[in-house]
Amino acid sequence: MTDAAWWRSGVIYQIAPRSFCDGNGDGVGDLVGILQRLDHLEWLGVEGVWLCPISPTPNRDFGYDISDFCDVEPELGTMAELDELISALHARDMRLLLDFVPNHTADVHPWFQASRSSRTDPRRDWYVWCDAAANGGPPNNWLGRFGGSAWEWDEKTGQYYYHAFLKEQPDLNWRNPEVREAMYDVMRFWLRRGVDGFRVDAAAVLAEDDLLRDDPPNPEANERTPPPQRQKRVYSDDRPETLGYMEEMRAVVDEFPDRLLLAEVDVDSGGPGRFYGFGTPRFHLPLNYGLIDSAWDADSVGGAIDDYLAAVSPHGWPDWVIGSHDKTRIASRVGQARARLAAMLLFTLPGTAIFYAGDEIGMPDVDVPEDRARDPFGILVPGCALGRDPHRVPMRWSPTANAGFTSGEPWLPVGDVPSGGTVAEQITDPDSMMSLYRRLIAFRRSALRSSDRFRARRHEAGVLLFQREGDGGRYLSALNLSGERRLVDIADAASVRVATDRSREGDRLYGRIELRADEGLVMELVTD
Ligand code: GLC
């Protein structure tokens, strides 16, 4: 594996291990389950896999609360199974990225247990401790993302500690160089084991304002805004110091050849530019959720694409995400027909393509009844539809009990599975969403190059049009987002290479072409 830039043209597949495939019948997905499904990944043609956290956890935030950074959660498997997964993926020429959660630990982590044991403990300063305000309340107005104050009173030592997320997820004090070194050693531990990089969780949240200034109100908030979002996180998030820590993380990763850093950052405020770094590199790929967040019409999607591409730094490389364990499923947001267009966009835009297990079969969000809800976000901020359980329900493998996910009782409900809604059915159906994913990924690999020029065309009557041009040829994507039949002028001779409706593949077109509602074509432009 010597191609340093595999990820530029690469396709990365996100797996939430608990929800992917259960190998031992306890109702929770695991590493053995993933090992059993590698044929699926290879069939799709993905080049990289990103796993949500696999380290020991009390599961208050389903793995994002870690109690030992250098081990594997027993419910998910063993270190030996992880080693096996790394080798099995490499043997198939796929890479493995782990989730790295640097901002916080679980409250049961031995570091925090030591830190809260006394004010003089050597680990005291590993977390963010502060005296009460003059009135005995929290030091300032900062809010936790999962509700309430971000400060929790510790009776024993008479101070507050800071938590950007749950109170069971105390923030590490990144200003402390010992903490940073310890976390860089965690990265080295996994890199030495052969993982190909990380997706860095909550990467811009690491440092808070040292003057502890109050966050200002969010001017866009109204009575429907979930309480944790009613302030702008000016002082509690995204501080300049954090940019320096990103450079240090990158330097650690660069001690090893060909490794990759994806990062969860907020590219909405200020764009992604600074997260790539200027001169000194930071992240290879700050994750871009622009396609998920955009309204779904040609002007909005076209605008989101242009806006983003213009903001990617000249040293940076774009990426596109259409699904994640934190976001409404694309098939629920835009519907099944348009989810096919979303896939076409994802794989033909310039940049790394990232999707979430289940997107390839058009999995929708599933209503999870209140008595089965597990996500603290939904439970602690009730009435705001913030719960993420609906996009974390088990993967659908076959039209059998529990959709073939487990032989036990699934940890989240599987939901009603429509006929044709599983991997086993879609693999044999050439018109399925999954077959479309495979054709698009294969086309991308054979025809598109990361060096291709991107050329937007003027949108016509609600049809999004753009080209990729390079050594591999000239390709036009035409995506009808208007909701109605449309005629557009392509002014070229073209042959259809991939279509949302497979029967059109191979068609020769010229001049004015017809697109049905929600239809998309990727055409090779040919000179007559
Ligand atoms: C990230 C994760 C999310 C988690 C949070 C706290 O946003 O994607 O699932 O709850 O960080 O670690």
Side-chain angles (χ1 to χ4, degrees):
M1 276 189 271
T2 49
D3 178 12
W6 69 269
W7 45 270
R8 287 183 174 249
S9 53
V11 174
I12 296 176
Y13 187 71
Q14 181 196 349
I15 292 178
R18 292 181 65 85
S19 300
F20 192 62
C21 182
D22 176 12
N24 65 1
D26 66 356
V28 174
D30 47 38
L31 298 180
V32 167
I34 299 173
L35 278 160
Q36 289 166 358
R37 299 292 182 179
L38 296 186
D39 285 350
H40 175 63
L41 311 190
E42 196 169 338
W43 186 88
L44 284 169
V46 303
E47 281 117 330
V49 176
W50 144 32
L51 297 187
C52 286
I54 51 149
S55 287
T57 171
N59 274 325
R60 302 304 294 253
D61 187 21
F62 295 100
Y64 286 94
D65 49 328
I66 293 176
S67 53
D68 179 353
F69 285 107
C70 296
D71 206 346
V72 172
E73 161 59 35
E75 207 176 14
L76 301 182
T78 63
M79 197 60 108
E81 287 159 6
L82 183 78
D83 289 340
E84 192 184 335
L85 181 60
I86 297 173
S87 333
L89 285 169
H90 287 178
R92 294 176 188 238
D93 209 14
M94 287 186 261
R95 275 67 168 188
L96 181 67
L97 309 172
L98 294 184
D99 223 304
F100 175 56
V101 185
N103 180 67
H104 45 266
T105 67
D107 59 348
V108 295
H109 193 294
W111 294 347
F112 188 65
Q113 292 300 311
S115 183
R116 76 185 317 177
S117 69
S118 94
R119 287 203 191 193
T120 53
D121 188 273
R123 296 240 197 265
R124 182 66 171 181
D125 190 42
W126 279 43
Y127 291 81
V128 183
W129 291 98
C130 197
D131 290 337
N135 65 5
N140 63 19
N141 74 350
W142 295 349
L143 296 175
R145 276 183 178 64
F146 292 148
S149 169
W151 297 97
E152 182 69 13
W153 179 248
D154 181 59
E155 198 55 56
K156 182 170 175 214
T157 57
Q159 279 190 313
Y160 282 91
Y161 67 85
Y162 176 71
H163 56 92
F165 296 90
L166 293 173
K167 66 178 170 31
E168 292 84 1
Q169 292 169 298
D171 269 48
L172 284 162
N173 177 15
W174 269 73
R175 292 176 187 281
N176 181 337
E178 283 178 26
V179 168
R180 301 210 295 279
E181 261 325 304
M183 293 310 280
Y184 302 148
D185 280 343
V186 170
M187 298 176 94
R188 290 187 186 100
F189 172 85
W190 293 109
L191 292 166
R192 275 190 210 112
R193 277 203 113 81
V195 310
D196 299 284
F198 304 99
R199 173 264 191 186
V200 185
D201 182 68
V205 179
L206 304 181
E208 300 76 42
D209 179 39
D210 52 356
L211 301 177
L212 299 177
R213 285 168 282 187
D214 277 351
D215 275 332
N218 174 0
E220 282 157 29
N222 55 41
E223 64 289 352
R224 288 187 312 281
T225 307
Q229 293 158 22
R230 291 188 186 168
Q231 282 170 193
K232 282 184 74 162
R233 296 177 188 273
V234 172
Y235 297 110
S236 48
D237 261 16
D238 213 345
R239 303 299 302 163
E241 293 87 333
T242 302
L243 297 171
Y245 309 150
M246 293 174 184
E247 290 169 5
E248 293 178 2
M249 274 185 221
R250 173 61 177 270
V252 172
V253 164
D254 285 348
E255 291 166 15
F256 300 78
D258 295 351
R259 310 300 161 103
L260 173 64
L261 278 182
L262 317 184
E264 181 191 33
V265 290
D266 182 4
V267 302
D268 291 343
S269 56
R274 66 194 185 286
F275 298 116
Y276 292 102
F278 309 102
T280 309
R282 292 169 186 160
F283 297 125
H284 300 91
L285 298 174
L287 294 174
N288 162 33
Y289 293 97
L291 292 181
I292 299 187
D293 295 336
S294 166
W296 205 249
D297 58 80
D299 288 343
S300 304
V301 175
I305 293 170
D306 249 53
D307 236 15
Y308 171 72
L309 288 177
V312 171
S313 94
H315 325 284
W317 181 249
D319 65 79
W320 310 92
V321 181
I322 59 161
S324 104
H325 65 296
D326 290 332
K327 303 269 188 184
T328 300
R329 288 274 187 183
I330 190 80
S332 290
R333 238 177 81 64
V334 304
Q336 289 291 336
R338 287 178 170 200
R340 290 177 171 246
L341 297 180
M344 192 166 268
L345 261 179
L346 177 70
F347 298 121
T348 60
L349 284 169
T352 307
I354 304 165
F355 66 102
Y356 174 45
D359 290 340
E360 73 274 30
I361 50 171
M363 260 182 75
D365 276 4
V366 167
D367 277 338
V368 174
E370 231 168 79
D371 60 334
R372 294 209 54 188
R374 304 293 297 272
D375 180 26
F377 206 1
I379 296 168
L380 295 174
V381 193
C384 295
L386 295 178
R388 297 165 297 181
D389 294 322
H391 10 289
R392 297 177 175 186
V393 301
M395 178 73 175
R396 296 168 170 182
W397 294 102
S398 56
T400 53
N402 296 320
F405 163 73
T406 179
S407 55
E409 181 57 31
W411 75 286
L412 279 175
V414 169
D416 297 330
V417 184
S419 165
T422 67
V423 169
E425 293 159 286
Q426 296 202 11
I427 200 168
T428 54
D429 174 5
D431 294 318
S432 66
M433 177 88 76
M434 201 169 101
S435 294
L436 175 66
Y437 265 69
R438 177 172 146 105
R439 292 201 303 283
L440 283 165
I441 293 172
F443 162 78
R444 170 187 173 95
R445 190 179 269 177
S446 68
L448 303 181
R449 311 269 178 273
S450 45
S451 56
D452 288 348
R453 278 184 308 283
F454 171 78
R455 196 154 74 77
R457 281 206 189 182
R458 195 183 157 90
H459 320 143
E460 271 190 57
V463 177
L464 184 67
L465 295 162
F466 61 86
Q467 283 178 211
R468 299 285 303 274
E469 304 176 347
D471 297 346
R474 286 195 307 142
Y475 299 94
L476 171 65
S477 296
L479 310 172
N480 184 0
L481 298 172
S482 72
E484 290 166 10
R485 173 180 166 273
R486 287 287 188 246
L487 292 173
V488 293
D489 205 340
I490 60 167
D492 273 286
S495 103
V496 178
R497 293 289 300 270
V498 191
T500 49
D501 169 0
R502 192 178 51 98
S503 67
R504 295 198 71 176
E505 291 176 8
D507 282 4
R508 305 277 300 184
L509 305 175
Y510 186 77
R512 250 174 130 57
I513 64 165
E514 182 184 339
L515 290 166
R516 289 197 302 272
D518 304 328
E519 187 167 45
L521 303 177
V522 186
M523 293 160 275
E524 179 167 10
L525 299 178
V526 284
T527 328
D528 269 344

